[in-house]
PDB file of all heavy atoms in Angstrom:
ATOM      1  N   HIS Q   1     137.347  86.180 -88.031  1.00  0.00           N
ATOM      2  CA  HIS Q   1     138.577  86.628 -88.673  1.00  0.00           C
ATOM      3  C   HIS Q   1     139.670  85.591 -88.421  1.00  0.00           C
ATOM      4  O   HIS Q   1     139.740  85.000 -87.334  1.00  0.00           O
ATOM      5  CB  HIS Q   1     138.980  87.977 -88.076  1.00  0.00           C
ATOM      6  CG  HIS Q   1     139.657  88.901 -89.020  1.00  0.00           C
ATOM      7  ND1 HIS Q   1     140.516  89.896 -88.602  1.00  0.00           N
ATOM      8  CD2 HIS Q   1     139.630  89.005 -90.370  1.00  0.00           C
ATOM      9  CE1 HIS Q   1     140.958  90.576 -89.626  1.00  0.00           C
ATOM     10  NE2 HIS Q   1     140.431  90.053 -90.722  1.00  0.00           N
ATOM     11  N   LYS Q   2     140.554  85.390 -89.391  1.00  0.00           N
ATOM     12  CA  LYS Q   2     141.597  84.373 -89.276  1.00  0.00           C
ATOM     13  C   LYS Q   2     142.936  84.916 -89.761  1.00  0.00           C
ATOM     14  O   LYS Q   2     142.977  85.809 -90.612  1.00  0.00           O
ATOM     15  CB  LYS Q   2     141.219  83.139 -90.102  1.00  0.00           C
ATOM     16  CG  LYS Q   2     139.939  82.434 -89.672  1.00  0.00           C
ATOM     17  CD  LYS Q   2     139.607  81.295 -90.618  1.00  0.00           C
ATOM     18  CE  LYS Q   2     138.416  80.480 -90.119  1.00  0.00           C
ATOM     19  NZ  LYS Q   2     137.168  81.267 -90.146  1.00  0.00           N
ATOM     20  N   ILE Q   3     144.031  84.357 -89.221  1.00  0.00           N
ATOM     21  CA  ILE Q   3     145.382  84.662 -89.694  1.00  0.00           C
ATOM     22  C   ILE Q   3     145.905  83.449 -90.457  1.00  0.00           C
ATOM     23  O   ILE Q   3     145.862  82.322 -89.958  1.00  0.00           O
ATOM     24  CB  ILE Q   3     146.334  84.988 -88.521  1.00  0.00           C
ATOM     25  CG1 ILE Q   3     145.862  86.231 -87.767  1.00  0.00           C
ATOM     26  CG2 ILE Q   3     147.754  85.194 -89.037  1.00  0.00           C
ATOM     27  CD1 ILE Q   3     146.671  86.515 -86.508  1.00  0.00           C
ATOM     28  N   PHE Q   4     146.390  83.697 -91.679  1.00  0.00           N
ATOM     29  CA  PHE Q   4     146.932  82.643 -92.528  1.00  0.00           C
ATOM     30  C   PHE Q   4     148.389  82.948 -92.873  1.00  0.00           C
ATOM     31  O   PHE Q   4     148.837  84.097 -92.823  1.00  0.00           O
ATOM     32  CB  PHE Q   4     146.138  82.536 -93.833  1.00  0.00           C
ATOM     33  CG  PHE Q   4     144.701  82.157 -93.674  1.00  0.00           C
ATOM     34  CD1 PHE Q   4     143.708  83.134 -93.627  1.00  0.00           C
ATOM     35  CD2 PHE Q   4     144.318  80.824 -93.593  1.00  0.00           C
ATOM     36  CE1 PHE Q   4     142.374  82.791 -93.495  1.00  0.00           C
ATOM     37  CE2 PHE Q   4     142.979  80.473 -93.464  1.00  0.00           C
ATOM     38  CZ  PHE Q   4     142.006  81.458 -93.410  1.00  0.00           C
ATOM     39  N   LEU Q   5     149.113  81.900 -93.283  1.00  0.00           N
ATOM     40  CA  LEU Q   5     150.449  82.046 -93.861  1.00  0.00           C
ATOM     41  C   LEU Q   5     150.403  81.550 -95.295  1.00  0.00           C
ATOM     42  O   LEU Q   5     150.034  80.382 -95.549  1.00  0.00           O
ATOM     43  CB  LEU Q   5     151.485  81.242 -93.072  1.00  0.00           C
ATOM     44  CG  LEU Q   5     152.891  81.178 -93.688  1.00  0.00           C
ATOM     45  CD1 LEU Q   5     153.517  82.569 -93.778  1.00  0.00           C
ATOM     46  CD2 LEU Q   5     153.794  80.231 -92.895  1.00  0.00           C
ATOM     47  N   HIS Q   6     150.762  82.433 -96.220  1.00  0.00           N
ATOM     48  CA  HIS Q   6     150.847  82.036 -97.623  1.00  0.00           C
ATOM     49  C   HIS Q   6     152.306  81.843 -97.997  1.00  0.00           C
ATOM     50  O   HIS Q   6     153.121  82.757 -97.846  1.00  0.00           O
ATOM     51  CB  HIS Q   6     150.225  83.096 -98.537  1.00  0.00           C
ATOM     52  CG  HIS Q   6     150.390  82.772 -99.990  1.00  0.00           C
ATOM     53  ND1 HIS Q   6     149.657  81.797-100.617  1.00  0.00           N
ATOM     54  CD2 HIS Q   6     151.243  83.271-100.942  1.00  0.00           C
ATOM     55  CE1 HIS Q   6     150.026  81.710-101.887  1.00  0.00           C
ATOM     56  NE2 HIS Q   6     150.983  82.601-102.108  1.00  0.00           N
ATOM     57  N   LYS Q   7     152.646  80.669 -98.470  1.00  0.00           N
ATOM     58  CA  LYS Q   7     153.995  80.389 -98.948  1.00  0.00           C
ATOM     59  C   LYS Q   7     154.033  80.577-100.464  1.00  0.00           C
ATOM     60  O   LYS Q   7     153.157  80.080-101.193  1.00  0.00           O
ATOM     61  CB  LYS Q   7     154.402  78.960 -98.590  1.00  0.00           C
ATOM     62  CG  LYS Q   7     154.474  78.697 -97.089  1.00  0.00           C
ATOM     63  CD  LYS Q   7     155.679  79.382 -96.447  1.00  0.00           C
ATOM     64  CE  LYS Q   7     156.964  78.629 -96.741  1.00  0.00           C
ATOM     65  NZ  LYS Q   7     158.121  79.195 -95.996  1.00  0.00           N
ATOM     66  N   LEU Q   8     155.032  81.307-100.933  1.00  0.00           N
ATOM     67  CA  LEU Q   8     155.128  81.602-102.361  1.00  0.00           C
ATOM     68  C   LEU Q   8     155.218  80.315-103.180  1.00  0.00           C
ATOM     69  O   LEU Q   8     155.859  79.339-102.772  1.00  0.00           O
ATOM     70  CB  LEU Q   8     156.336  82.483-102.640  1.00  0.00           C
ATOM     71  CG  LEU Q   8     156.340  83.878-102.002  1.00  0.00           C
ATOM     72  CD1 LEU Q   8     157.547  84.680-102.475  1.00  0.00           C
ATOM     73  CD2 LEU Q   8     155.054  84.637-102.316  1.00  0.00           C
ATOM     74  N   GLY Q   9     154.555  80.359-104.337  1.00  0.00           N
ATOM     75  CA  GLY Q   9     154.587  79.218-105.241  1.00  0.00           C
ATOM     76  C   GLY Q   9     153.567  78.153-104.932  1.00  0.00           C
ATOM     77  O   GLY Q   9     153.536  77.107-105.594  1.00  0.00           O
ATOM     78  N   THR Q  10     152.691  78.397-103.935  1.00  0.00           N
ATOM     79  CA  THR Q  10     151.648  77.427-103.585  1.00  0.00           C
ATOM     80  C   THR Q  10     150.277  78.066-103.784  1.00  0.00           C
ATOM     81  O   THR Q  10     150.121  79.284-103.666  1.00  0.00           O
ATOM     82  CB  THR Q  10     151.786  76.960-102.127  1.00  0.00           C
ATOM     83  OG1 THR Q  10     151.538  78.068-101.246  1.00  0.00           O
ATOM     84  CG2 THR Q  10     153.184  76.410-101.866  1.00  0.00           C
ATOM     85  N   PRO Q  11     149.246  77.265-104.068  1.00  0.00           N
ATOM     86  CA  PRO Q  11     147.900  77.824-104.204  1.00  0.00           C
ATOM     87  C   PRO Q  11     147.348  78.253-102.852  1.00  0.00           C
ATOM     88  O   PRO Q  11     147.761  77.746-101.799  1.00  0.00           O
ATOM     89  CB  PRO Q  11     147.102  76.659-104.789  1.00  0.00           C
ATOM     90  CG  PRO Q  11     147.838  75.436-104.340  1.00  0.00           C
ATOM     91  CD  PRO Q  11     149.287  75.811-104.326  1.00  0.00           C
ATOM     92  N   GLN Q  12     146.385  79.165-102.869  1.00  0.00           N
ATOM     93  CA  GLN Q  12     145.803  79.654-101.628  1.00  0.00           C
ATOM     94  C   GLN Q  12     145.154  78.525-100.834  1.00  0.00           C
ATOM     95  O   GLN Q  12     145.107  78.582 -99.593  1.00  0.00           O
ATOM     96  CB  GLN Q  12     144.784  80.757-101.908  1.00  0.00           C
ATOM     97  CG  GLN Q  12     144.210  81.396-100.648  1.00  0.00           C
ATOM     98  CD  GLN Q  12     143.227  82.523-100.935  1.00  0.00           C
ATOM     99  OE1 GLN Q  12     142.958  82.829-102.088  1.00  0.00           O
ATOM    100  NE2 GLN Q  12     142.692  83.131 -99.896  1.00  0.00           N
ATOM    101  N   SER Q  13     144.677  77.507-101.516  1.00  0.00           N
ATOM    102  CA  SER Q  13     144.034  76.384-100.818  1.00  0.00           C
ATOM    103  C   SER Q  13     144.981  75.672 -99.861  1.00  0.00           C
ATOM    104  O   SER Q  13     144.539  74.956 -98.952  1.00  0.00           O
ATOM    105  CB  SER Q  13     143.487  75.384-101.842  1.00  0.00           C
ATOM    106  OG  SER Q  13     144.537  74.892-102.672  1.00  0.00           O
ATOM    107  N   GLU Q  14     146.294  75.866-100.048  1.00  0.00           N
ATOM    108  CA  GLU Q  14     147.277  75.253 -99.166  1.00  0.00           C
ATOM    109  C   GLU Q  14     147.776  76.204 -98.079  1.00  0.00           C
ATOM    110  O   GLU Q  14     148.660  75.832 -97.289  1.00  0.00           O
ATOM    111  CB  GLU Q  14     148.467  74.727 -99.982  1.00  0.00           C
ATOM    112  CG  GLU Q  14     148.093  73.606-100.940  1.00  0.00           C
ATOM    113  CD  GLU Q  14     149.288  73.080-101.726  1.00  0.00           C
ATOM    114  OE1 GLU Q  14     150.441  73.464-101.384  1.00  0.00           O
ATOM    115  OE2 GLU Q  14     149.077  72.316-102.682  1.00  0.00           O
ATOM    116  N   ASP Q  15     147.222  77.429 -98.029  1.00  0.00           N
ATOM    117  CA  ASP Q  15     147.649  78.371 -96.990  1.00  0.00           C
ATOM    118  C   ASP Q  15     147.338  77.802 -95.611  1.00  0.00           C
ATOM    119  O   ASP Q  15     146.263  77.224 -95.382  1.00  0.00           O
ATOM    120  CB  ASP Q  15     146.942  79.719 -97.162  1.00  0.00           C
ATOM    121  CG  ASP Q  15     147.472  80.492 -98.364  1.00  0.00           C
ATOM    122  OD1 ASP Q  15     148.394  79.997 -99.039  1.00  0.00           O
ATOM    123  OD2 ASP Q  15     146.961  81.599 -98.623  1.00  0.00           O
ATOM    124  N   ARG Q  16     148.285  77.972 -94.708  1.00  0.00           N
ATOM    125  CA  ARG Q  16     148.164  77.384 -93.379  1.00  0.00           C
ATOM    126  C   ARG Q  16     147.445  78.343 -92.427  1.00  0.00           C
ATOM    127  O   ARG Q  16     147.793  79.523 -92.348  1.00  0.00           O
ATOM    128  CB  ARG Q  16     149.556  77.057 -92.840  1.00  0.00           C
ATOM    129  CG  ARG Q  16     149.537  76.351 -91.489  1.00  0.00           C
ATOM    130  CD  ARG Q  16     150.780  75.490 -91.303  1.00  0.00           C
ATOM    131  NE  ARG Q  16     151.999  76.277 -91.367  1.00  0.00           N
ATOM    132  CZ  ARG Q  16     152.669  76.695 -90.295  1.00  0.00           C
ATOM    133  NH1 ARG Q  16     152.212  76.432 -89.086  1.00  0.00           N
ATOM    134  NH2 ARG Q  16     153.792  77.363 -90.438  1.00  0.00           N
ATOM    135  N   LEU Q  17     146.433  77.841 -91.749  1.00  0.00           N
ATOM    136  CA  LEU Q  17     145.760  78.623 -90.717  1.00  0.00           C
ATOM    137  C   LEU Q  17     146.696  78.733 -89.519  1.00  0.00           C
ATOM    138  O   LEU Q  17     147.082  77.730 -88.920  1.00  0.00           O
ATOM    139  CB  LEU Q  17     144.445  77.954 -90.311  1.00  0.00           C
ATOM    140  CG  LEU Q  17     143.681  78.620 -89.162  1.00  0.00           C
ATOM    141  CD1 LEU Q  17     143.219  80.012 -89.558  1.00  0.00           C
ATOM    142  CD2 LEU Q  17     142.485  77.761 -88.743  1.00  0.00           C
ATOM    143  N   ILE Q  18     147.060  79.953 -89.165  1.00  0.00           N
ATOM    144  CA  ILE Q  18     148.012  80.200 -88.085  1.00  0.00           C
ATOM    145  C   ILE Q  18     147.307  80.454 -86.766  1.00  0.00           C
ATOM    146  O   ILE Q  18     147.725  79.981 -85.708  1.00  0.00           O
ATOM    147  CB  ILE Q  18     148.929  81.392 -88.436  1.00  0.00           C
ATOM    148  CG1 ILE Q  18     149.724  81.091 -89.706  1.00  0.00           C
ATOM    149  CG2 ILE Q  18     149.857  81.730 -87.280  1.00  0.00           C
ATOM    150  CD1 ILE Q  18     150.633  79.874 -89.598  1.00  0.00           C
ATOM    151  N   PHE Q  19     146.206  81.206 -86.828  1.00  0.00           N
ATOM    152  CA  PHE Q  19     145.510  81.548 -85.576  1.00  0.00           C
ATOM    153  C   PHE Q  19     144.077  81.941 -85.890  1.00  0.00           C
ATOM    154  O   PHE Q  19     143.806  82.636 -86.886  1.00  0.00           O
ATOM    155  CB  PHE Q  19     146.223  82.714 -84.882  1.00  0.00           C
ATOM    156  CG  PHE Q  19     145.680  83.016 -83.512  1.00  0.00           C
ATOM    157  CD1 PHE Q  19     146.111  82.310 -82.396  1.00  0.00           C
ATOM    158  CD2 PHE Q  19     144.722  84.012 -83.324  1.00  0.00           C
ATOM    159  CE1 PHE Q  19     145.602  82.570 -81.132  1.00  0.00           C
ATOM    160  CE2 PHE Q  19     144.206  84.283 -82.069  1.00  0.00           C
ATOM    161  CZ  PHE Q  19     144.649  83.564 -80.963  1.00  0.00           C
ATOM    162  N   ASP Q  20     143.155  81.504 -85.062  1.00  0.00           N
ATOM    163  CA  ASP Q  20     141.769  81.970 -85.141  1.00  0.00           C
ATOM    164  C   ASP Q  20     141.132  81.837 -83.768  1.00  0.00           C
ATOM    165  O   ASP Q  20     141.748  81.311 -82.833  1.00  0.00           O
ATOM    166  CB  ASP Q  20     140.968  81.225 -86.211  1.00  0.00           C
ATOM    167  CG  ASP Q  20     140.741  79.760 -85.865  1.00  0.00           C
ATOM    168  OD1 ASP Q  20     141.440  79.238 -84.963  1.00  0.00           O
ATOM    169  OD2 ASP Q  20     139.882  79.122 -86.502  1.00  0.00           O
ATOM    170  N   ARG Q  21     139.912  82.325 -83.646  1.00  0.00           N
ATOM    171  CA  ARG Q  21     139.170  82.260 -82.391  1.00  0.00           C
ATOM    172  C   ARG Q  21     137.779  81.681 -82.658  1.00  0.00           C
ATOM    173  O   ARG Q  21     136.801  82.426 -82.727  1.00  0.00           O
ATOM    174  CB  ARG Q  21     139.081  83.645 -81.761  1.00  0.00           C
ATOM    175  CG  ARG Q  21     140.363  84.123 -81.101  1.00  0.00           C
ATOM    176  CD  ARG Q  21     140.656  83.365 -79.803  1.00  0.00           C
ATOM    177  NE  ARG Q  21     139.551  83.471 -78.865  1.00  0.00           N
ATOM    178  CZ  ARG Q  21     139.404  84.490 -77.998  1.00  0.00           C
ATOM    179  NH1 ARG Q  21     140.307  85.460 -77.957  1.00  0.00           N
ATOM    180  NH2 ARG Q  21     138.379  84.524 -77.178  1.00  0.00           N
ATOM    181  N   PRO Q  22     137.671  80.371 -82.847  1.00  0.00           N
ATOM    182  CA  PRO Q  22     136.350  79.786 -83.117  1.00  0.00           C
ATOM    183  C   PRO Q  22     135.369  79.948 -81.972  1.00  0.00           C
ATOM    184  O   PRO Q  22     134.163  79.771 -82.161  1.00  0.00           O
ATOM    185  CB  PRO Q  22     136.681  78.303 -83.366  1.00  0.00           C
ATOM    186  CG  PRO Q  22     137.999  78.072 -82.695  1.00  0.00           C
ATOM    187  CD  PRO Q  22     138.735  79.365 -82.814  1.00  0.00           C
ATOM    188  N   ASP Q  23     135.884  80.310 -80.774  1.00  0.00           N
ATOM    189  CA  ASP Q  23     135.012  80.496 -79.613  1.00  0.00           C
ATOM    190  C   ASP Q  23     134.373  81.870 -79.559  1.00  0.00           C
ATOM    191  O   ASP Q  23     133.470  82.111 -78.761  1.00  0.00           O
ATOM    192  CB  ASP Q  23     135.809  80.281 -78.326  1.00  0.00           C
ATOM    193  CG  ASP Q  23     136.962  81.269 -78.199  1.00  0.00           C
ATOM    194  OD1 ASP Q  23     137.742  81.399 -79.179  1.00  0.00           O
ATOM    195  OD2 ASP Q  23     137.084  81.924 -77.149  1.00  0.00           O
ATOM    196  N   ASP Q  24     134.835  82.803 -80.410  1.00  0.00           N
ATOM    197  CA  ASP Q  24     134.305  84.177 -80.378  1.00  0.00           C
ATOM    198  C   ASP Q  24     134.332  84.749 -81.789  1.00  0.00           C
ATOM    199  O   ASP Q  24     135.387  85.143 -82.298  1.00  0.00           O
ATOM    200  CB  ASP Q  24     135.129  85.054 -79.426  1.00  0.00           C
ATOM    201  CG  ASP Q  24     134.459  86.398 -79.135  1.00  0.00           C
ATOM    202  OD1 ASP Q  24     133.626  86.835 -79.950  1.00  0.00           O
ATOM    203  OD2 ASP Q  24     134.786  87.003 -78.100  1.00  0.00           O
ATOM    204  N   LYS Q  25     133.186  84.820 -82.414  1.00  0.00           N
ATOM    205  CA  LYS Q  25     133.109  85.243 -83.810  1.00  0.00           C
ATOM    206  C   LYS Q  25     133.406  86.728 -84.002  1.00  0.00           C
ATOM    207  O   LYS Q  25     133.664  87.177 -85.122  1.00  0.00           O
ATOM    208  CB  LYS Q  25     131.730  84.927 -84.382  1.00  0.00           C
ATOM    209  CG  LYS Q  25     130.577  85.725 -83.757  1.00  0.00           C
ATOM    210  CD  LYS Q  25     129.245  85.324 -84.364  1.00  0.00           C
ATOM    211  CE  LYS Q  25     128.081  86.137 -83.788  1.00  0.00           C
ATOM    212  NZ  LYS Q  25     126.780  85.758 -84.401  1.00  0.00           N
ATOM    213  N   GLU Q  26     133.402  87.523 -82.914  1.00  0.00           N
ATOM    214  CA  GLU Q  26     133.565  88.968 -83.045  1.00  0.00           C
ATOM    215  C   GLU Q  26     134.986  89.448 -82.745  1.00  0.00           C
ATOM    216  O   GLU Q  26     135.214  90.639 -82.568  1.00  0.00           O
ATOM    217  CB  GLU Q  26     132.564  89.691 -82.143  1.00  0.00           C
ATOM    218  CG  GLU Q  26     131.116  89.462 -82.552  1.00  0.00           C
ATOM    219  CD  GLU Q  26     130.128  90.264 -81.723  1.00  0.00           C
ATOM    220  OE1 GLU Q  26     130.554  90.880 -80.725  1.00  0.00           O
ATOM    221  OE2 GLU Q  26     128.929  90.274 -82.072  1.00  0.00           O
ATOM    222  N   ILE Q  27     135.946  88.528 -82.714  1.00  0.00           N
ATOM    223  CA  ILE Q  27     137.336  88.925 -82.519  1.00  0.00           C
ATOM    224  C   ILE Q  27     137.959  89.276 -83.868  1.00  0.00           C
ATOM    225  O   ILE Q  27     137.887  88.499 -84.827  1.00  0.00           O
ATOM    226  CB  ILE Q  27     138.147  87.790 -81.845  1.00  0.00           C
ATOM    227  CG1 ILE Q  27     137.666  87.566 -80.409  1.00  0.00           C
ATOM    228  CG2 ILE Q  27     139.640  88.102 -81.871  1.00  0.00           C
ATOM    229  CD1 ILE Q  27     137.983  88.719 -79.465  1.00  0.00           C
ATOM    230  N   ASN Q  28     138.582  90.447 -83.938  1.00  0.00           N
ATOM    231  CA  ASN Q  28     139.367  90.836 -85.115  1.00  0.00           C
ATOM    232  C   ASN Q  28     140.840  90.588 -84.820  1.00  0.00           C
ATOM    233  O   ASN Q  28     141.313  90.828 -83.699  1.00  0.00           O
ATOM    234  CB  ASN Q  28     139.145  92.312 -85.452  1.00  0.00           C
ATOM    235  CG  ASN Q  28     137.775  92.560 -86.036  1.00  0.00           C
ATOM    236  OD1 ASN Q  28     137.257  91.742 -86.787  1.00  0.00           O
ATOM    237  ND2 ASN Q  28     137.187  93.699 -85.694  1.00  0.00           N
ATOM    238  N   LEU Q  29     141.579  90.154 -85.830  1.00  0.00           N
ATOM    239  CA  LEU Q  29     142.958  89.738 -85.635  1.00  0.00           C
ATOM    240  C   LEU Q  29     143.927  90.588 -86.444  1.00  0.00           C
ATOM    241  O   LEU Q  29     143.587  91.087 -87.516  1.00  0.00           O
ATOM    242  CB  LEU Q  29     143.120  88.266 -86.037  1.00  0.00           C
ATOM    243  CG  LEU Q  29     142.249  87.266 -85.269  1.00  0.00           C
ATOM    244  CD1 LEU Q  29     142.395  85.876 -85.862  1.00  0.00           C
ATOM    245  CD2 LEU Q  29     142.592  87.264 -83.791  1.00  0.00           C
ATOM    246  N   GLY Q  30     145.117  90.737 -85.911  1.00  0.00           N
ATOM    247  CA  GLY Q  30     146.206  91.402 -86.611  1.00  0.00           C
ATOM    248  C   GLY Q  30     147.467  90.589 -86.456  1.00  0.00           C
ATOM    249  O   GLY Q  30     147.655  89.893 -85.442  1.00  0.00           O
ATOM    250  N   ALA Q  31     148.343  90.633 -87.455  1.00  0.00           N
ATOM    251  CA  ALA Q  31     149.586  89.864 -87.399  1.00  0.00           C
ATOM    252  C   ALA Q  31     150.719  90.700 -87.967  1.00  0.00           C
ATOM    253  O   ALA Q  31     150.549  91.399 -88.970  1.00  0.00           O
ATOM    254  CB  ALA Q  31     149.448  88.565 -88.191  1.00  0.00           C
ATOM    255  N   GLY Q  32     151.871  90.626 -87.333  1.00  0.00           N
ATOM    256  CA  GLY Q  32     153.051  91.320 -87.820  1.00  0.00           C
ATOM    257  C   GLY Q  32     154.299  90.561 -87.422  1.00  0.00           C
ATOM    258  O   GLY Q  32     154.332  89.912 -86.370  1.00  0.00           O
TER     259      GLY Q  32
END
């Protein structure tokens, strides 16, 4: 699971990865 930031007016391919856990595939993420 990953947290992204989408900036308006840009394609999804440019969304910035904000946080992930490549060391543990079973972590679920939440952002607020």
Side-chain angles (χ1 to χ4, degrees):
H1 213 205
K2 298 176 174 67
I3 298 174
F4 297 95
L5 173 62
H6 176 74
K7 297 288 283 186
L8 297 185
T10 66
Q12 185 178 1
S13 59
E14 296 181 10
D15 288 359
R16 184 153 60 99
L17 176 64
I18 299 299
F19 187 84
D20 68 344
R21 284 288 303 274
D23 61 310
D24 192 337
K25 66 181 182 179
E26 295 184 352
I27 293 292
N28 288 323
L29 301 174

